[in-house]
Amino acid sequence: LIPDVQELVDQSMPRERSTHRQVPEGYVYTQYHPMEEIYQWMTQIQKSNSELVTQHYLGKTIENRTMYYLQISQPSDKTKKIIWMDCGIHAREWISPAFCQWFVKEILQNYKSDPKISRFLQNLDLYVLPVLNIDGYIYSWEKDRLWRKNRSPHMNGTCYGTDLNRNFNSSWGSIGVSYNCSSEIFCGSGPESEPETRAVAEFIKRKKSDILCYLTIHSYGQYILTPYGSTTKPPSNSEELMHVAEKAAAALMGKYGTSYEVGSTSLILYSNSGSSRDWAHMIGIPFSYTFELRDNGTHGFVLPSDQIQPTCEETM
Amino acid sequence: DIDDVGHKYYLELVLEDVLDKDSTVNCTAEVLYHLGNKNIAPDVQFTIEGELKNADEADNIFYNRIKSLEKELVAENIPDSHGNVSPEMEPIRLLAWVASGYVIWQNSTENTKFQLAQIKHVKQVKRIDEYLEFDYVILLHEMVSQEIIPWQMTVLWHPQHGVQVTRDSRQPKHASE
């Protein structure tokens, strides 16, 4: 199973473009899309790939919008291990949902022609949540491009938003957070206080014995981060986690020379508690990673759309 | 660690020309963060090994273009939400980048990591002397706190005299909705 996980994280995009019959005609993956269009895209993707893709209800956001994930699963009589990937936990990181969409498209376009991909799907199911923080994402399109948190109201509606990546039940509230609603790293009123967090956590808890790998996609910084953020004490399978991440970073660099730094959040970035990646590992999911995509700060959150393709290709 | 003074860092870095990735220059620097009073900017000494590329031609083109504008230049949201910057605004953005470097330096500690996130607003202020003056409101992203901090800066520039930030002040986050 380990080589499979390595390969999934390593794989680079095949060059041939097969027919785009399986993906929505005219959907432009090299541009950013508003939530309306992403909802439509999910419906379309399932319709045109119904032998492989099913759309599932995950939960509701604080503003009562529906959260869906896509399950990419080749029919088989054996139970397969699961790789979970979520994008868009932070509203302003637009390259992240763009990557999730790209990823799905790549798998669906190439699973018949690419032996690596078809081998995965024989042994693994892919679960992709293209936008976790839907309300925040919409807010960043309509009101404030640099919004980060969700849109939960606090203090009688005078202050909004919890940082969903500080809201998970992993040493919640202990370090690298604020208890003040006006902060960008406000951890919420308690662990899993936010419906978005609960929707993801409850699902993952239910399926945890089958989940091999938890991936959460962010920007920016160009890092592959391993647990933990809340402590410098290394996780039990630290060597293996690092080994796989290093192979992924090397493969990524091989594409366009982009360099990613690899390591535990608390050592190479900053301390934080309540992250989804830490939580996933703490409940027993062996491989848990945060990807911080391009760039290094030149454009930061406002990454030009002409970088969507190279970013996605190298990350693929 | 320098007792009673602060923390000194010795750096070897490579400077890369934003407009020509193959053009690099080695640099060594010493940065001293002062103990205690966080209101003092870190001391920076540096040596550049070699020369920076000459940008006189582009500088003069930009200078003359702005000087000959009938109405003062005004613009917002550079880059826009999709990361786009129009060619005419590119020098405005580069100027903001340089000037924000000064603001970042003046406000950095060992626990901050600032990046220019976006130019919210820029307005040219016409002058009778040879300098160009721009009044910017920029958004700085601070990595550790994840805050977006609006900052006003008044920037003076001339092709032969370089960049100066004559006034700058942190702005309050507008009352979030």
Side-chain angles (χ1 to χ4, degrees):
Chain A
L1 243 57
I2 291 157
D4 284 341
V5 175
Q6 276 183 344
E7 280 189 54
L8 180 70
V9 182
D10 287 359
Q11 92 178 146
S12 48
M13 188 185 88
R15 287 196 186 276
E16 342 77 70
R17 305 198 120 270
S18 37
T19 71
H20 46 208
R21 150 182 78 82
Q22 294 122 330
V23 298
E25 293 288 331
Y27 195 79
V28 184
Y29 290 89
T30 50
Q31 275 179 27
Y32 297 113
H33 290 272
M35 198 60 214
E36 237 346 271
E37 291 176 13
I38 299 177
Y39 274 128
Q40 286 162 19
W41 169 81
M42 278 193 275
T43 309
Q44 244 323 108
I45 280 278
Q46 186 190 242
K47 252 209 199 121
S48 350
N49 298 274
S50 48
E51 74 285 5
L52 213 55
V53 184
T54 41
Q55 181 179 327
H56 298 266
Y57 174 89
L58 190 68
K60 292 256 192 174
T61 66
I62 190 76
E63 287 180 342
N64 213 30
R65 295 189 175 89
T66 309
M67 297 167 70
Y68 294 110
Y69 68 92
L70 295 172
Q71 179 180 346
I72 302 174
S73 188
Q74 202 147 52
S76 153
D77 39 4
K78 59 174 172 174
T79 7
K80 283 170 266 148
K81 289 292 182 186
I82 295 168
I83 308 233
W84 166 278
M85 180 166 74
D86 59 64
C87 292
I89 197 174
H90 288 139
R92 57 195 182 203
E93 299 168 9
W94 286 14
I95 187 65
S96 166
F99 175 70
C100 266
Q101 293 165 70
W102 182 283
F103 180 86
V104 169
K105 163 200 58 114
E106 277 306 304
I107 300 284
L108 295 177
Q109 262 180 355
N110 299 299
Y111 75 98
K112 287 185 178 148
S113 55
D114 185 321
K116 268 190 194 164
I117 303 183
S118 64
R119 194 158 73 90
F120 285 141
L121 293 182
Q122 277 161 40
N123 298 305
L124 296 163
D125 286 346
L126 300 170
Y127 287 46
V128 179
L129 173 56
V131 185
L132 197 159
N133 178 8
I134 296 173
D135 300 342
Y137 186 70
I138 292 174
Y139 193 76
S140 75
W141 271 78
E142 294 178 355
K143 293 272 165 42
D144 182 354
R145 175 61 177 85
L146 296 174
W147 189 259
R148 168 182 170 87
K149 305 182 287 179
N150 77 346
R151 292 294 299 165
S152 61
H154 298 272
M155 311 203 321
N156 273 325
T158 59
C159 180
Y160 281 78
T162 297
D163 183 345
L164 296 174
N165 205 35
R166 301 286 186 278
N167 190 240
F168 283 78
N169 195 11
S170 42
S171 309
W172 179 86
S174 59
I175 192 171
V177 296
S178 169
Y179 305 118
N180 192 325
C181 168
S182 41
S183 163
E184 296 281 20
I185 52 177
F186 173 54
C187 53
S189 50
E192 295 186 14
S193 58
E194 307 306 300
E196 296 92 343
T197 312
R198 280 198 304 276
V200 173
E202 270 154 30
F203 179 81
I204 292 185
K205 262 184 281 195
R206 257 199 334 261
K207 300 278 205 177
K208 75 172 176 187
S209 50
D210 288 323
I211 302 179
L212 177 63
C213 179
Y214 172 83
L215 298 173
T216 180
I217 311 296
H218 292 240
S219 78
Y220 59 91
Q222 294 172 198
Y223 299 102
I224 299 177
L225 300 168
T226 59
Y228 296 107
S230 51
T231 171
T232 50
K233 179 173 142 248
S236 49
N237 61 338
S238 163
E239 256 179 58
E240 209 176 23
L241 272 169
M242 282 298 292
H243 179 58
V244 172
E246 271 155 12
K247 286 202 74 175
L252 198 155
M253 186 168 205
K255 188 80 182 164
Y256 294 117
T258 310
S259 73
Y260 270 58
E261 222 182 308
V262 175
S264 103
T265 303
S266 54
L267 290 178
I268 69 173
L269 194 56
Y270 46 57
S271 293
N272 69 333
S273 58
S275 71
S276 65
R277 174 218 50 240
D278 280 5
W279 175 80
H281 192 273
M282 287 175 181
I283 62 161
I285 294 169
F287 293 95
S288 185
Y289 297 100
T290 305
F291 273 70
E292 295 277 356
L293 300 179
R294 289 196 193 181
D295 59 14
N296 252 327
T298 309
H299 296 92
F301 300 119
V302 200
L303 192 69
S305 35
D306 62 14
Q307 286 204 40
I308 295 178
Q309 179 156 343
T311 306
C312 292
E313 285 179 355
E314 71 194 4
T315 312
M316 200 72 204
Chain B
D1 253 356
I2 304 183
D3 281 346
D4 299 331
V5 179
H7 297 143
K8 198 173 211 185
Y9 293 83
Y10 296 87
L11 305 171
E12 285 173 21
L13 36 143
V14 178
L15 302 181
E16 180 188 85
D17 187 340
V18 166
L19 302 174
D20 175 10
K21 302 279 173 180
D22 294 328
S23 173
T24 62
V25 140
N26 290 333
C27 177
T28 55
E30 284 177 19
V31 179
L32 172 64
Y33 290 100
H34 297 276
L35 261 182
N37 190 348
K38 298 295 177 198
N39 288 325
I40 306 178
D43 288 345
V44 180
Q45 312 267 23
F46 66 92
T47 315
I48 298 182
E49 290 152 31
E51 278 180 16
L52 298 176
K53 226 159 70 150
N54 183 301
D56 288 352
E57 196 185 324
D59 282 354
N60 286 323
I61 292 174
F62 172 58
Y63 180 79
N64 290 322
R65 173 162 69 89
I66 303 296
K67 266 291 179 194
S68 61
L69 287 176
E70 281 186 13
K71 265 182 50 175
E72 286 93 343
L73 180 148
V74 175
E76 290 190 331
N77 292 333
I78 302 167
D80 69 16
S81 286
H82 294 246
N84 302 314
V85 180
S86 67
E88 312 84 66
M89 287 302 146
E90 189 59 29
I92 297 285
R93 174 163 154 255
L94 293 172
L95 182 61
W97 215 350
V98 175
S100 68
Y102 170 80
V103 172
I104 289 171
W105 166 41
Q106 293 295 301
N107 291 279
S108 286
T109 71
E110 280 169 288
N111 299 310
T112 61
K113 184 167 146 87
F114 287 102
Q115 295 280 0
L116 173 63
Q118 196 183 32
I119 299 165
K120 203 65 198 147
H121 187 82
V122 59
K123 191 184 75 201
Q124 179 192 2
V125 178
K126 276 233 159 124
R127 293 176 68 96
I128 47 174
D129 64 16
E130 45 174 3
Y131 282 86
L132 297 185
E133 179 177 333
F134 297 95
D135 193 9
Y136 283 94
V137 174
I138 57 172
L139 298 177
L140 292 178
H141 171 232
E142 201 287 296
M143 191 63 93
V144 179
S145 63
Q146 288 296 329
E147 292 297 328
I148 301 292
I149 307 169
W151 211 288
Q152 179 276 332
M153 52 181 201
T154 304
V155 181
L156 250 47
W157 179 72
H158 183 278
Q160 273 83 57
H161 307 309
V163 181
Q164 257 185 290
V165 177
T166 54
R167 194 172 77 230
D168 72 271
S169 65
R170 185 176 177 138
Q171 302 296 297
K173 230 161 112 177
H174 53 259
S176 28
E177 199 241 329

